Every structure is written in structure tokens, then in C-alpha cells.
Amino acid sequence: MTDKIHFARIAIVGAGLIGSSVARAIVRAGVAGTLAVTDKDEAVLAEARELGFAHEFHDDAKKAVQDADLVILAVPVGAMASVGAAIAPVLKAGAIISDVGSVKEGVFSALEPLLPDTVHLIPGHPVAGTEQSGPSAGFASLFDGRWCIITPPEAVDDEALGRLTCFWEALGSKVEIMTAKHHDLVLAITSHVPHLIAYNIVGTASDLEEVTRSEVIKYSAGGFRDFTRIAASDPTMWRDVFLNNKEAVLEMLGRFSEDLTALQRAIRWGDGDALFDLFTRTRDIRRRIIDAGQDEEAADFGRHHKE
Ligand code: NAP
């Protein structure tokens, strides 16, 4: 069924890392008659036009989405409502409106009251990305073999959901359907809290007075260096994620703090067995992620080392 999916016109709002990757993957899959891209940032739009990964480039979102059968919103979560309000008056009846935002309940409740009930609002989240931003950072194979989580409302139109599922499969993704609430809870622990920990540890290290910032950079082998990669992620995107997934993030942070306290206690009382047991269990999680094809075996995250 995947190879039969086709939309006469697709519009992407937001030409950054994810929007430009979706555009490139659409062109690679040949699933759009016309592909229109829009971004509010003139410099981003000029760069996108230069890279040429769509048929049309518009500074006015309304022009891009007009007559589109599928609209993908690829802007930060906090910008979804203003984009929704801007495009609502021109959306084609029967169009599928989806997004790529990292939070799902917040996006649905921001967009649902704004959009006409003649369109199908079906949020989605490709669980794929990098710590980079902007149109040059995107690439067509970003979604290959990665999960895309679709979070349809209860009253979803089955045909529209089927078309959106086939669309993401054509872009290389494996699709999973779940409720927005469940998505937000799962992603809080697999993505949002890990980013917060990375931001926090890098922040703490750079604030330490006894260890100078230049030493932190000079001796940043191993663990710290890997945290800095995550902590280099886009500040706007991540600010919006935490502001829009408060409840689930705070719940998971509560669990995290309890477990950290238990580790503190094990170190204080010399409970080597507790430490060893945990480190053995976590090593097994890494093994299972590799076995599931979600990462590669390569040592040191595949970094190249001289012989
Ligand atoms: P990005 O590279 O910063 O791209 C976002 C683009 O949207 C920027 O060019 C931004 O312009 C533009 N934009 C912001 N507000 C807009 C508006 N009102 N109208 C039109 N364009 C607007 O960010 P990204 O990484 O692609 O993230 C986009 C979405 O994907 C976010 O919702 C994020 O949660 C989600 N996501 C990200 C990842 C990841 O790993 N990065 C993975 C999965 C999903 P300015 O730069 O001028 O603000």
C-alpha cells in the first residue's frame, strides 16, 4: 500500500532540521505532486530555496497551505497555535493537518479549537533527529527505520489516518499509534528528562568555580562530552518541550530523583552490590537498543579514532 500513497499538494510549515528532512524524504519517495515549503524566517527561507528541496517556497504560510491535501507543521511546539490561527481560514476541506512536534497533548489542544472541523487534525512525532537546527542540517534518510508515533483523536477519520500512516511509511518510518497522553509520558522518560539531565550537568560543570571552564573542555573525554552533544540541542525547541509537557516531565523527574537518592545512599554506605546490579541492568538496556536496530554497535558512538 505504501508505494501507492500520493498527495497532489503537500505543504510544510517550518523549514528547519525536521521540516527540511521531511521535504527531502517526500521528494525521495515521490509522494507529492507539488511540495510547498514556508518559514517565517527570511534567512531560513533563502537558504531553503538555495538548497532546493521543494517545488515552491513561500514567505506567507497561507499561500503555501492553500489547496494542500496534507499540511505538516514543523515549527517549535510553542509556535503551533500561531501557525494554526494563521492558516485556518484557507485550509482545504478534507485536508489532513499533522505536525512533527515532540509533545502531543499540548499541540492537539492548541490546534483543535483553531482549525475548521472540515479538516482532519492528526498529530504525529517522528522519533528521529539530531542536535542540529536549520535547513542545511536536514537529510532525506533521517526517518529510515525510525519510529513515527501518530496520536489520533478518538473520533479520527480512518481513511485519513490510513493515508497519514502510509505517508510516514513511504518516508522510511515504522509507525506506531498511541494516545497523546501515553506518548507524552513515554517521551518524557526516553527523551525529555535525558535532555534536561544533559542541560543540567553541562550547566553545573560550567558553573563550578574550583574546576575552570577550560579544564572542563580540555578533559571532556567520555561521559561529559556525550552530554555536551545533547546539551547543544536547539534552545527554543527544548524550552517549548518542557513548558508543554510539564506534568509528565515532573512525574518522571520525581522518580528520577528518588532513584538518584538511592544511588547516593549506596555510594555513602559502600553498597557495591547495589551499584554493580544497577550498572549490569543498564548495560543490558544498551544491548537491547542495539538489538532492536535503534543504534549501532560501534564503540564510542562510532567516533573515528586514529590507529
Ligand atoms: P529548527 O531546525 O529550529 O526549525 C524550526 C523552523 O521553524 C525554524 O526555521 C523557525 O524559524 C521556524 N518557525 C518558528 N516559528 C515559525 C512560525 N510561526 N511560522 C513559520 N516558521 C516558524 O527546529 P526542528 O529541530 O526542525 O524542530 C521542529 C519541530 O520538530 C519541533 O516541534 C520539535 O519539537 C520537533 N522535533 C525535533 C526533533 C529534533 O531532534 N530536532 C526531532 C523530532 C521532532 P526561526 O529559526 O526564525 O525561529
Side-chain angles (χ1 to χ4, degrees):
M1 189 160 173
T2 292
D3 55 344
K4 290 195 194 123
I5 189 75
H6 194 268
F7 293 87
R9 181 177 177 86
I10 300 180
I12 300 174
V13 182
L17 167 72
I18 302 296
S20 74
S21 296
V22 172
R24 289 169 168 103
I26 285 172
V27 171
R28 185 187 69 171
V31 292
T34 303
L35 174 60
V37 166
T38 176
D39 198 288
K40 74 161 176 36
D41 190 317
E42 258 177 50
V44 168
L45 202 59
E47 201 179 337
R49 197 176 274 122
E50 179 84 24
L51 291 161
F53 48 68
H55 304 116
E56 295 177 12
F57 298 89
H58 297 274
D59 55 7
D60 181 355
K62 287 207 275 303
K63 284 194 182 135
V65 306
Q66 201 141 30
D67 210 32
D69 309 284
L70 172 64
V71 177
I72 303 279
L73 308 183
V75 298
V77 169
M80 295 285 178
S82 67
V83 171
I87 63 173
V90 299
L91 291 174
K92 181 178 174 178
I96 298 171
I97 315 303
S98 192
D99 75 305
V100 296
S102 307
V103 177
K104 298 277 52 95
E105 265 200 312
V107 166
F108 186 78
S109 50
L111 289 174
E112 202 261 346
L114 300 169
L115 303 186
D117 51 17
T118 50
V119 302
H120 306 290
L121 171 61
I122 312 178
H125 176 207
V127 187
T130 75
E131 67 280 14
Q132 291 171 343
S133 311
S136 305
F139 50 100
S141 60
L142 178 61
F143 311 108
D144 287 350
R146 302 279 162 223
W147 288 102
C148 179
I149 301 176
I150 298 180
T151 60
E154 253 177 55
V156 70
D157 176 273
D158 285 339
E159 196 194 330
L161 176 59
R163 281 175 65 71
L164 188 64
T165 302
C166 288
F167 167 77
W168 278 105
E169 285 172 354
L171 266 53
S173 287
K174 304 182 281 184
V175 173
E176 186 85 33
I177 311 269
M178 62 178 74
T179 64
K181 192 177 176 61
H182 190 67
H183 166 278
D184 290 354
L185 202 61
V186 172
L187 270 290
I189 194 60
T190 58
S191 171
H192 305 170
V193 169
H195 274 80
L196 199 68
I197 293 167
Y199 282 123
N200 189 51
I201 200 165
V202 176
T204 303
S206 78
D207 286 347
L208 285 177
E209 279 170 18
E210 313 86 87
V211 182
T212 66
R213 196 172 292 197
S214 63
E215 280 176 306
V216 166
I217 291 167
K218 184 171 168 187
Y219 299 115
S220 70
F224 184 73
R225 194 180 52 184
D226 291 332
F227 277 117
T228 61
R229 185 189 65 72
I230 300 175
S233 299
D234 191 73
T236 306
M237 169 187 158
W238 284 98
R239 176 202 62 198
D240 287 2
V241 166
F242 293 115
L243 294 182
N244 287 276
N245 197 21
K246 258 185 211 170
E247 211 179 299
V249 168
L250 292 177
E251 187 179 330
M252 290 303 168
L253 266 182
R255 290 285 301 269
F256 175 80
S257 304
E258 277 175 31
D259 292 345
L260 195 60
T261 303
L263 278 178
Q264 238 174 324
R265 188 190 301 266
I267 293 169
R268 187 179 311 284
W269 297 105
D271 187 352
D273 287 349
L275 298 176
F276 189 84
D277 286 352
L278 175 68
F279 302 164
T280 306
R281 253 192 315 129
T282 54
R283 191 173 228 196
D284 182 53
I285 295 276
R286 171 81 190 146
R287 175 82 265 139
R288 285 164 58 192
I289 287 173
I290 293 164
D291 289 348
Q294 293 300 299
D295 204 352
E296 286 168 24
E297 181 101 57
D300 196 13
F301 293 95
R303 287 192 184 94
H304 178 70
H305 296 284
K306 290 199 179 97
E307 297 288 304

